[in-house]
Amino acid sequence: MRTPALRLGAGLATGIALAAGVLTATPAVAAVGDDDPTVGARVATGPVAGLAINEVESNADDTDWVELVNTSSASIDLSGWRFLDSDSSHAAYVLPQGSTIAAGGYLVVDQETTTRPGFDFGLGGADAVRLYDTAGALTLRYAWTTHAAVTYGSCPDGSGTLVDTTASTKGKPNDCSSPVRINEVESQDGTPGDWVELTNVGTTTVDLGGYVLRDSEDDHAWTIPAGTTVAPDGFTVLDEARFGFGLGKADAVRLSDPRGVPVDSYSWTAHAATTYGRNPDGTGAFAETAEPTKGAANRFAGSVTAEAWPGGPDETVLDAEDTFTGDLSGLDWAPSATSADGQLWAVQNGDGLLYHLAPEGRGGWAPTNAAGVDLRYADGTGTPDAEGVTVTADDPGAVYVSTERDNDVSKVSRPAVLRFATADGSESVLRATDEWNLAADFPGLGANAGLEGVTWVPDAWLTSHGFVDQHTGAAYAPTSYAGHGDGLFLVGVEGTASVYAYALMDDGAFQRVATIATPFSLVAEVQFDPTLDALWVVCDEACSGRTALFDVQDGAFTLATLYEAPANADRGLANEGFAISGRCVDRARATFYADDNDTDGFSLRTGTYPCDASTEPGDGGMPAPGDGGTPAPGDGGTPSPGAGGGTPTPTPTAPGPTTPTTPTAPVAPDASSLTEGNRGSVSAPSVVRAGSSVTISVGAQYAGERVAVWLFSEPRLLGTPVVAADGTVTVVVPADVPAGQHRIVVTASDGTVLGWTAVTIDPATGALAFTGAELGGGIAAALLLLAAGTGVLVARRRRRPAVAQA
């Protein structure tokens, strides 16, 4: 989850900071937080001229952060200044030595991760940020009442009002431009005539009244009439019959706002065989499309384009107001012996709770265990940051939960799958019977970037569909993994935006069997769907609520269909949980969404997905389709329209059993192919820590394509991810990579070098990050003992009687 991280109590945090020499008990420090953060929205001036809060990120990013700007002509040293949110009980973060902003420059005060120091509290939906100088005087403050849809940014930089920006620009000038973009252009043989399609990359509907459209000639100008609008992620078409001039073989389209400020433009030297369009929509470069898509998402050869959701257009509330307190995350549907509509399992991450839900008879759903089950680690301690949940067919009477960390030690990554023995969630407290801590497979993974979702896929299904084991390079053979049960667990990892298949053995061992790249910037949920013979991979508001279906092709889970959110759904909902019913009623299956933000006091919503009624299972008495159930009838054929009024589109037909083939391994490029000509075509941070993840910008023109990422000088494959819609890929640099100068190289599937860039690898380190004095021997030893005491792993056999432990 990307909501504010839980932290230790203020007293403990302050005590450790004092012991480390970070804070000193002086009157200056005592003054920090004594002011009222709710008085006045913004303090924009202070004793340092030119210093201002420029941008605030409190939601929808990997970390929360605040950007400061220096509009003066001299550098400003902020070393020793203190940063705080609206909660004065939090220990203020002390800016480290060297925190200097150059004239006209920016400084980002970032949230702490396992590999970088920063503040250890989160920024909420109604919060404030405060900056104090070394004397403890309040210098800057900005407060808000709701999360920004993007970020709050000053327009213009440093001196304007903070408004919701068009794009997040961390450490760079704010983007306060119009969010309207030219998206597709038809310059010949259009229907009817030439046309220009506009889209909106922002978060609110834009009134286009007064905008001016031109071609390459200044006297060809048309003012768009008032009342013409374009919705977020929507499309508005301007036809030749309205703007009154044609578009030529060598021409341009230009758009300016009512003030005459240029908004966007595109020019060409020859007619397109189809049309020219952006890939991806709104943000990518222009290219020739596969076909005209007037008023709809662009399509390109070789790329998967997001399609309209084929079910009903709405997501409607299922829970009573304030049933949950926020942080509801993972969901899983399963058949029920008492309800034809099945049952739901849900987990809440902030306080580590497990809920069992059932229909309440009036159209909604409610927990059968109102207080939830308090989840603990095997020794009875800790608060697992429960993010995903699943049940399996081979282990009845148990629930499996995926976690990012122990919230009682919130700065330490602990990406794990935990087993809890329960049939109905009626226990008040449950200890894990087993734990599979996957941290060794994810060195450097942030404590807030771990396992978001988990699902289970039967071995019988995998073998019948020709699944290939990437670990062995051969057809998947369940007998290779003794004691793993009858299926594989698939986990979605937020920090790598990928899904991984694991065999979890009954002695606590594990083996990664496959890595599945996704088109998303993060993975919020995964769900196996035997009705469709497919795997759902879900993103939340970071991807505007998109979902994807993967089926097995040539032995590997491969992206088949990408869906937009339902038409009327709020794309800003933090839907971190997703489940789909295995029961087909009136040609539709129910979908379920868990909103981590508890928007308007509601956390659980439902929609529909079309189905073929002939695949409907029984009415709940016997095991039926669903995540972890017995594979159901249906061969992934074309579904029928849903009952919700949406426009049906075909669902991908999954292939039948195939002869397994070994995936083609990428071939490392020769060092001689890394030339100055292709240097810089990709970009990455200049300094990367061994054992940490790194995001590389490849280019939006490659969105949806699989690439190979290499580390030189000895070519070492870091991964074969699919390029996300924003043109980026994320890989992990192994912890054993030697420190020093290296090159990151990205190649296409045919081995062509797309580009390379130089990076400096810093050594991996597990040292605690402090900004003050070094720890004394006694304190360091105490902290090491504390870490040792809270890091005990317990692995027990998975199959055991269902026993609740208090």
Side-chain angles (χ1 to χ4, degrees):
M1 60 170 291
R2 286 168 291 95
T3 52
L6 294 175
R7 51 271 184 188
L8 297 174
L12 176 59
T14 303
I16 293 175
L18 285 168
V22 177
L23 299 180
T24 306
T26 66
V29 174
V32 172
D34 285 352
D35 57 282
D36 183 354
T38 64
V39 176
R42 186 185 187 197
V43 174
T45 61
V48 179
L51 180 65
I53 294 171
N54 199 52
E55 191 173 7
V56 176
E57 169 63 274
S58 63
N59 193 33
D61 203 350
D62 290 338
T63 58
D64 296 336
W65 49 265
V66 174
E67 176 191 88
L68 306 176
V69 66
N70 175 9
T71 61
S72 74
S73 58
S75 63
I76 300 174
D77 186 1
L78 299 180
S79 302
W81 287 44
R82 292 171 176 83
F83 173 82
L84 194 60
D85 63 353
S86 65
D87 189 343
S88 299
S89 70
H90 292 160
Y93 170 60
V94 183
L95 274 63
Q97 290 299 313
S99 298
T100 301
I101 314 182
Y106 303 87
L107 176 70
V108 175
V109 182
D110 213 333
Q111 196 173 19
E112 183 181 45
T113 69
T114 54
T115 58
R116 184 190 61 238
F119 56 90
D120 64 354
F121 45 83
L123 302 179
D127 211 337
V129 291
R130 296 178 283 174
L131 189 67
Y132 301 84
D133 64 17
T134 54
L138 177 65
T139 300
L140 297 175
R141 179 181 64 231
Y142 175 65
W144 60 93
T145 57
T146 60
H147 287 302
V150 184
T151 62
Y152 287 117
S154 176
C155 300
D157 280 12
S159 60
T161 302
L162 271 75
V163 298
D164 208 323
T165 61
T166 297
S168 175
T169 55
K170 188 176 184 179
K172 301 175 182 178
N174 291 338
D175 184 355
C176 303
S177 63
S178 167
V180 180
R181 300 289 183 267
I182 297 168
N183 196 56
E184 189 176 5
V185 177
E186 172 64 89
S187 62
Q188 71 167 348
D189 301 329
T191 304
D194 299 339
W195 48 265
V196 177
E197 177 189 85
L198 305 180
T199 191
N200 178 359
V201 299
T203 57
T204 58
T205 297
V206 175
D207 187 342
L208 296 170
Y211 279 67
V212 178
L213 180 74
R214 292 181 173 85
D215 63 3
S216 61
E217 301 181 40
D218 289 340
D219 59 347
H220 287 176
W222 177 64
T223 301
I224 300 175
T228 307
T229 62
V230 56
D233 295 321
F235 305 97
T236 295
V237 176
L238 309 177
D239 282 301
E240 179 182 354
R242 299 181 69 194
F243 53 76
F245 49 84
L247 302 177
K249 179 179 180 180
D251 210 339
V253 287
R254 296 176 291 166
L255 187 70
S256 56
D257 69 15
R259 300 167 298 170
V261 177
V263 170
D264 198 12
S265 65
Y266 177 64
S267 61
W268 59 94
T269 57
H271 289 305
T274 52
T275 59
Y276 291 113
R278 289 191 184 274
N279 184 19
D281 290 288
T283 59
F286 277 92
E288 204 163 293
T289 63
E291 60 180 310
T293 53
K294 186 177 183 180
N298 295 337
R299 292 182 178 273
F300 297 88
S303 297
V304 176
T305 302
E307 300 179 4
W309 179 255
D314 300 310
E315 290 177 12
T316 57
V317 169
L318 279 179
D319 56 332
E321 189 171 2
D322 297 328
T323 298
F324 304 97
T325 58
D327 289 342
L328 197 69
S329 187
L331 291 175
D332 192 32
W333 181 92
S336 169
T338 59
S339 171
D341 292 322
Q343 59 187 320
L344 284 173
W345 290 98
V347 286
Q348 190 160 286
N349 53 63
D351 41 13
L353 296 179
L354 172 69
Y355 289 100
H356 176 264
L357 298 100
E360 38 82 285
R362 298 183 299 277
W365 286 61
T368 62
N369 53 348
V373 182
D374 187 3
L375 301 180
R376 300 298 175 95
Y377 290 98
D379 61 0
T381 66
T383 305
D385 184 65
E387 298 284 356
V389 61
T390 193
V391 294
T392 72
D394 68 342
D395 192 14
V399 171
Y400 292 81
V401 174
S402 60
T403 71
E404 290 187 321
R405 61 186 176 272
D406 176 358
N407 282 330
D408 292 353
V409 192
S410 61
K411 300 174 188 176
V412 178
S413 179
R414 191 169 174 175
V417 176
L418 303 173
R419 179 187 183 272
F420 296 93
T422 183
D424 56 7
S426 59
E427 301 82 2
S428 58
V429 179
L430 276 174
R431 298 184 185 185
T433 63
D434 303 80
E435 177 177 5
W436 293 268
N437 189 332
L438 308 180
D441 265 16
F442 300 99
L445 187 68
N448 203 30
L451 309 189
E452 281 287 328
V454 62
T455 191
W456 184 84
V457 184
D459 283 341
W461 186 93
L462 292 166
T463 55
S464 69
H465 285 75
F467 181 65
V468 171
D469 185 337
Q470 294 177 6
H471 175 59
T472 64
Y476 172 59
T479 55
S480 299
Y481 305 106
H484 82 285
D486 298 329
L488 298 180
F489 287 84
L490 274 63
V491 296
V493 178
E494 177 181 339
T496 65
S498 296
V499 177
Y500 304 86
Y502 278 95
L504 303 182
M505 273 63 82
D506 55 15
D507 62 356
F510 57 86
Q511 177 59 57
R512 184 186 295 182
V513 175
T515 298
I516 306 164
T518 78
F520 299 133
S521 58
L522 63 85
V523 173
E525 179 72 282
V526 289
Q527 285 288 321
F528 174 60
D529 189 339
T531 302
L532 295 180
D533 280 332
L535 174 73
W536 290 94
V537 179
V538 178
C539 190
D540 56 16
E541 79 276 18
C543 310
S544 300
R546 291 187 177 94
T547 55
L549 275 174
F550 286 70
D551 57 23
V552 174
Q553 301 175 24
D554 297 326
F557 278 99
T558 304
L559 177 63
T561 306
L562 185 64
Y563 287 128
E564 298 286 0
N568 296 338
D570 180 352
R571 300 185 180 196
L573 293 177
N575 285 339
E576 292 193 359
F578 172 84
I580 184 166
S581 170
R583 183 169 185 256
C584 185
V585 179
D586 295 330
R587 308 179 77 83
R589 290 195 289 156
T591 55
F592 302 92
Y593 306 87
D595 174 14
D596 179 77
N597 281 346
D598 196 45
T599 304
D600 299 326
F602 302 103
S603 292
L604 191 65
R605 291 172 175 80
T606 187
T608 60
Y609 185 84
C611 58
D612 183 342
S614 66
T615 66
E616 181 176 351
D619 289 333
M622 296 294 291
D627 182 23
T630 304
D635 57 0
T638 303
S640 300
T647 302
T649 61
T651 298
T653 301
T658 59
T659 301
T661 58
T662 301
T664 302
V667 178
D670 189 88
S672 62
S673 64
L674 310 183
T675 67
E676 287 300 316
N678 53 33
R679 178 175 184 171
S681 300
V682 302
S683 61
S686 59
V687 180
V688 179
R689 175 164 290 177
S692 67
S693 61
V694 57
T695 298
I696 304 159
S697 178
V698 181
Q701 67 270 30
Y702 300 109
E705 297 183 19
R706 188 177 298 277
V707 297
V709 182
W710 304 87
L711 189 67
F712 273 69
S713 44
E714 293 296 331
R716 183 169 182 177
L717 182 64
L718 301 185
T720 56
V722 173
V723 181
D726 63 357
T728 64
V729 295
T730 300
V731 294
V732 174
V733 177
D736 61 354
V737 170
Q741 296 298 312
H742 295 264
R743 289 176 289 180
I744 287 180
V745 184
V746 181
T747 61
S749 56
D750 62 359
T752 303
V753 174
L754 301 181
W756 65 276
T757 187
V759 297
T760 299
I761 302 296
D762 278 354
T765 175
L768 296 174
F770 289 94
T771 58
E774 294 185 2
L775 294 179
I779 298 172
L783 289 179
L784 287 173
L785 287 173
L786 175 63
T790 57
V792 177
L793 305 184
V794 178
R796 301 175 180 170
R797 296 189 62 84
R798 283 174 51 194
R799 280 64 171 176
R800 57 176 58 228
V803 177
Q805 295 177 311

